[in-house]
Amino acid sequence: MLMLKTQCGVSGLDIATISDPVDRYTHRFLATCENVTHYPDGVEILCPDTEDERDCRMLTVKREFPHLHLMRP
């Protein structure tokens, strides 16, 4: 999921079981990214099953900095 849907460049992955599940999501993943430009705090994902990523939901939104284009000569 992270390789196909983000420009994260995963350098680490932590998993935690959610004690109070949100809907049917019982597991929380937090990926540390090599690309800190778009994901400085990593990527957070909720999943109902650790073996099947098809029903996972990514919570972190890619950050864009369009005002930096104004600094180009």
Side-chain angles (χ1 to χ4, degrees), residues 14-18 26-30:
D14 292 322
I15 182 172
T17 302
I18 300 171
T26 56
H27 296 86
R28 177 181 169 267
F29 291 90
L30 182 59

Side-chain angles (χ1 to χ4, degrees), residues 16-70:
T17 302
I18 300 171
S19 57
D20 294 327
V22 178
D23 294 327
R24 59 189 162 81
Y25 298 98
T26 56
H27 296 86
R28 177 181 169 267
F29 291 90
L30 182 59
T32 305
C33 300
E34 291 178 5
N35 181 358
V36 294
T37 302
H38 295 297
Y39 303 101
D41 300 322
V43 176
E44 185 177 7
I45 298 172
L46 294 179
C47 294
D49 181 12
T50 58
E51 301 298 321
D52 186 4
E53 66 183 39
R54 291 178 291 176
D55 292 328
C56 293
R57 181 174 71 175
M58 190 165 56
L59 301 178
T60 306
V61 178
K62 178 180 173 182
R63 292 187 184 178
E64 301 272 344
F65 301 97
H67 59 284
L68 293 178
H69 297 292
L70 298 174

